[in-house]
């Protein structure tokens, strides 16, 4: 079994299913020493701002952890690895244990300035706030 630390649009389990990823469970997880940022994606002709995570000594990110099988590697195609994203294994904390989890992070060549995202993009995040601790907001 593998674990996938999903953030933003991939928190939506319907999206994960449409990408043919098999998952068996999902729960809250925390990635220490990273923070959520909203940055321009340079390959987006509209210069929209999207979620990314970057290293940050005193911060953390809370998202959803999916328990998955090897179908998780199909996500590479949808995330355009290695052109747009790269895949890493990072240590995620849960209420019960720490586990190694797959995380997709933007390729540095694609990152523009930090920029406030559109309202509907933030609303998408808030649909999943039941997975976040009160400290996160």
């Amino acid at each position: 079994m593998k674990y996938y630390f999903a953030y933003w649009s991939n928190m939506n389990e319907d999206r994960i299913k449409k990408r043919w990823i098999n998952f068996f469970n999902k729960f809250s997880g925390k990635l220490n020493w990273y923070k959520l940022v909203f940055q321009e994606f340079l390959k987006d002709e509209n210069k929209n701002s999207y979620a990314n995570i970057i290293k940050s000594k005193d911060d953390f990110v809370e998202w959803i952890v999916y328990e998955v099988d090897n179908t998780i590697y199909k996500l590479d195609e949808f995330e355009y690895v290695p052109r747009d994203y790269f895949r890493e294994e990072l240590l995620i904390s849960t209420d019960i244990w720490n586990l190694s989890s797959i995380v997709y992070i933007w390729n540095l060549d694609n990152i523009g300035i930090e920029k406030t995202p559109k309202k509907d993009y933030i609303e998408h995040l808030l649909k999943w706030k039941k997975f976040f601790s009160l400290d996160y907001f």
Side-chain angles (χ1 to χ4, degrees), residues 36-117:
L36 173 68
V37 292
F38 297 96
Q39 297 170 300
E40 280 185 352
F41 187 63
L42 295 178
K43 294 186 179 181
D44 180 351
E45 61 189 41
N46 297 317
K47 300 295 183 212
N48 288 321
S49 177
Y50 299 98
N52 189 24
I53 57 175
I54 60 173
K55 290 182 180 182
S56 180
K57 180 182 159 198
D58 297 321
D59 292 297
F60 64 91
V61 178
E62 290 185 11
W63 294 123
I64 294 173
V65 179
Y66 288 101
E67 186 176 7
V68 296
D69 61 15
N70 282 333
T71 60
I72 187 61
Y73 298 111
K74 292 179 184 179
L75 199 53
D76 285 6
E77 178 183 338
F78 291 97
E79 301 297 356
Y80 299 101
V81 171
R83 186 191 78 184
D84 292 352
Y85 285 84
F86 60 93
R87 175 178 17 95
E88 273 196 48
E89 293 237 355
L90 299 172
L91 190 64
I92 305 297
S93 302
T94 71
D95 290 339
I96 302 170
W97 63 84
N98 295 326
L99 49 94
S100 180
S101 181
I102 294 167
V103 181
Y104 287 85
I105 300 174
W106 277 6
N107 180 327
L108 294 176
D109 295 337
N110 298 323
I111 298 173
I113 60 171
E114 288 192 35
K115 182 176 168 184
T116 303

Side-chain angles (χ1 to χ4, degrees), residues 2-4 6 10 12-25 66-79 102 104:
K2 299 184 181 311
Y3 298 95
Y4 165 51
N10 286 337
N12 182 334
E13 68 183 56
D14 290 333
R15 184 178 180 113
I16 292 296
K17 289 175 185 175
K18 285 178 186 173
R19 292 178 167 191
W20 308 293
I21 310 298
N22 298 324
F23 73 92
F24 309 99
N25 194 10
Y66 288 101
E67 186 176 7
V68 296
D69 61 15
N70 282 333
T71 60
I72 187 61
Y73 298 111
K74 292 179 184 179
L75 199 53
D76 285 6
E77 178 183 338
F78 291 97
E79 301 297 356
I102 294 167
Y104 287 85

